[in-house]
Amino acid sequence: MRMYDIIEKKKRGGVLSREEIAWMIQGFVRGEIPDYQMSAMLMAIYFQGMEDGEITDLTLEMAHSGDMVDLSTIKGVKVDKHSTGGVGDKTTLIAGPLAAACGVKVAKMSGRGLGHTGGTVDKLESIPGFRTEIGREEFFQIVEDHGIAVIGQSGNLVPADKKLYALRDVTATVDSIPLIASSIMSKKLAAGSDGIVLDVKTGSGAFMKDPASSRALAEKMVAIGRQAGKRCCALITNMDVPLGHAVGNALEMREAIETLMGRGPADLVRVSTELAALMVWLGDIDGRSEGNAGQRDAGLDRAREQVMEALSTGAGLKVLADMVKAQGGDPQCVREPDRLAIGQERLEVKAPSDGFMGHMDTEAVGIASVLLGAGRNCKEDALDYGAGIVLKKKYGEAVRAGETIAVLYASEKERLAPAAEKFLSACTVQRERPNEEPLIYELVR
Ligand code: URA
């Protein structure tokens, strides 16, 4: 086979065979297919799409490109959670500890920031000393001891995705249903959990901009999960505005901790607790995701109550503090989140006129945070953990001209002005109060 011919076939809208997909993925992982040819293939897939069978073949080939983790030695039901990516999306840092506090085991392998979106691993690494690259045995032990551990996609886990993810990030080929579905599900299948809760984001800050394409992505991923014998569901949630107020690694870590302390913004609390409840429900501690529709709904309500209790008693916060300590991080940061280092250079962005905060181009907000240093422009870029944005006014809130709508943080002063310009271009202030938008669209089971 020749890569040239496979690119040509996909460019013309052909359907790749299982053999072609296997040859291409294996060759890419071995370094025999260069980045420039794979980039062309990614762009061809982006424009031509893939049929369901191709997506499943691609997902399975990617999942088997490295180790398949066997979590069976960890007692209890293991449930994973994954977001399709958003701006200010720190739900894993809240939902994971809450679910673990309710008895579910969370052995989580997370990603880094991609494009305009942040990544859980980068956020955790803003805690001094926190290690996201730890060996398998230690990882399992932390999950056994504390119910949760979060590590990077390390070692030989889905090397195909590691290479593809980095390439997509810099070739504008992220927002493609086949590429997102195969990327996420290959990691979830290789990571070995019994259940998978997917948070499929929709809106201007998501890779999928409208509820219909988000639903299509959700259905595709749930179907792949089911085919592979996993319990799987997807929640479609709003990403038309950043979730919570903070965007940027240390800022988001701080907001996640404050949320577990019971002081979180309402939207973040709602989405995070619902995801945690789904994790507990899929964890099926007492058969609550089985039975008829009424029994399943009652099981989900019980899971919600349990999660709210873990939030109000501080049980979730304790789990996070224990995990941070076990992974080498400074647990004092969890007790006093203001200890996390935030960029010293600051700029307040002011409202240009009186009115109400209207539609926000949330992807542009994510790009503004990248301009501040919170994300990467190319795969080798180092991050500035303290860089980011704190929104002071969100969608639907009244503002006066000259009032602060956001504060930008960076380590380098010269980054502030271009980011402020980008941020302001993302905001609209309108005369009328805008209509409310749903925060949670639907659950795809
Ligand atoms: N998250 C992933 O893990 N992969 C994608 O392609 C997009 C979001």
Side-chain angles (χ1 to χ4, degrees):
M1 278 188 226
R2 290 194 322 151
M3 188 63 185
Y4 181 96
D5 300 328
I6 305 179
I7 298 169
E8 177 72 19
K9 183 173 179 184
K10 185 43 79 184
K11 183 181 87 180
R12 299 194 180 283
V15 177
L16 303 184
S17 68
R18 183 175 298 171
E19 291 70 31
E20 284 167 330
I21 290 173
W23 181 86
M24 172 177 82
I25 294 297
Q26 289 168 18
F28 182 56
V29 171
R30 284 197 300 264
E32 291 160 11
I33 293 170
D35 281 3
Y36 54 81
Q37 280 190 312
M38 189 50 91
S39 300
M41 171 56 82
L42 292 171
M43 196 55 87
I45 293 174
Y46 181 92
F47 282 114
Q48 294 293 357
M50 284 184 132
E51 292 194 348
D52 287 356
E54 284 179 289
I55 302 177
T56 304
D57 289 343
L58 177 61
T59 305
L60 294 177
E61 194 56 48
M62 286 169 67
H64 286 91
S65 66
D67 301 341
M68 298 292 282
V69 181
D70 178 4
L71 297 178
S72 59
T73 55
I74 301 174
K75 288 191 266 328
V77 186
K78 278 73 67 179
V79 181
D80 206 346
K81 175 257 165 202
H82 198 97
S83 158
T84 55
V87 178
D89 178 13
K90 67 283 290 175
T91 52
T92 294
L93 300 166
I94 304 161
L98 287 173
C102 296
V104 169
K105 292 281 169 51
V106 186
K108 179 100 183 77
M109 294 174 202
S110 282
R112 296 194 177 275
L114 182 65
H116 65 282
T117 69
T120 303
V121 162
D122 295 330
K123 292 168 203 178
L124 281 165
E125 285 179 350
S126 71
I127 300 177
F130 195 94
R131 294 175 299 128
T132 54
E133 285 187 19
I134 52 185
R136 198 60 56 88
E137 265 180 37
E138 190 184 354
F139 174 51
F140 283 16
Q141 196 57 53
I142 298 171
V143 178
E144 275 289 7
D145 294 346
H146 305 293
I148 180 170
V150 183
I151 60 170
Q153 196 192 314
S154 62
N156 199 31
L157 190 91
V158 197
D161 182 61
K162 217 172 192 177
K163 289 189 79 178
L164 287 170
Y165 199 101
L167 207 50
R168 287 167 58 213
D169 194 18
V170 291
T171 55
T173 49
V174 172
D175 53 337
S176 145
I177 289 183
L179 296 179
I180 296 178
S182 54
S183 162
I184 292 178
M185 293 311 291
S186 61
K187 286 179 291 211
K188 298 299 102 181
L189 298 184
S193 284
D194 309 301
I196 305 162
V197 174
L198 300 160
D199 179 9
V200 180
K201 301 287 183 195
T202 193
S204 64
F207 294 124
M208 298 292 111
K209 306 288 181 206
D210 61 273
S213 38
S214 301
R215 181 171 229 281
L217 175 63
E219 283 172 349
K220 213 134 274 184
M221 291 195 291
V222 170
I224 295 172
R226 289 282 168 90
Q227 275 169 21
K230 306 285 179 186
R231 301 173 191 167
C232 192
C233 67
L235 195 66
I236 302 180
T237 65
N238 188 312
M239 188 36 72
D240 224 18
V241 283
L243 195 57
H245 296 287
V247 180
N249 300 297
L251 291 165
E252 290 190 44
M253 195 64 236
R254 187 170 80 180
E255 188 170 59
I257 295 168
E258 283 168 353
T259 300
L260 285 171
M261 288 173 159
R263 308 198 296 254
D267 59 344
L268 180 59
V269 173
R270 168 100 203 281
V271 174
S272 305
T273 53
E274 188 64 12
L275 290 168
L278 289 169
M279 292 171 79
V280 175
W281 181 62
L282 275 199
D284 218 10
I285 308 288
D286 54 7
R288 59 185 73 178
S289 68
E290 304 296 333
N292 63 34
Q295 287 163 334
R296 289 199 305 268
D297 287 349
L300 183 51
D301 283 342
R302 278 204 308 284
R304 288 186 181 117
E305 283 164 21
Q306 228 184 316
V307 165
M308 293 319 285
E309 196 180 323
L311 180 63
S312 62
T313 59
L317 182 69
K318 181 174 180 318
V319 168
L320 179 69
D322 292 345
M323 180 192 90
V324 166
K325 187 162 179 227
Q327 293 193 228
D330 177 2
Q332 203 57 26
C333 290
V334 181
R335 286 185 277 275
E336 294 169 51
D338 285 339
R339 293 169 74 105
L340 291 166
I342 306 300
Q344 290 302 309
E345 302 295 340
R346 292 164 196 204
L347 180 70
E348 294 190 2
V349 181
K350 310 284 184 189
S353 56
D354 288 352
F356 294 90
M357 295 300 290
H359 172 75
M360 184 171 251
D361 177 351
T362 297
E363 179 168 346
V365 174
I367 294 169
S369 83
V370 174
L371 293 176
L372 289 165
R376 298 176 183 83
N377 284 310
C378 63
K379 56 185 183 176
E380 290 80 18
D381 277 358
L383 291 184
D384 175 359
Y385 291 111
I389 302 171
V390 173
L391 304 175
K392 296 291 177 188
K393 296 282 177 186
K394 282 187 66 174
Y395 183 81
E397 285 188 62
V399 285
R400 311 292 311 221
E403 202 178 348
T404 302
I405 54 173
V407 183
L408 310 189
Y409 297 84
S411 300
E412 296 160 31
K413 196 168 188 175
E414 55 280 13
R415 288 182 178 262
L416 293 169
E421 195 181 325
K422 187 76 189 171
F423 179 82
L424 260 181
S425 76
C427 301
T428 48
V429 176
Q430 60 190 62
R431 280 167 179 269
E432 306 292 325
R433 191 186 286 278
N435 292 335
E436 260 186 51
E437 285 190 2
L439 182 59
I440 294 179
Y441 285 83
E442 62 177 310
L443 176 63
V444 177
R445 307 183 188 188

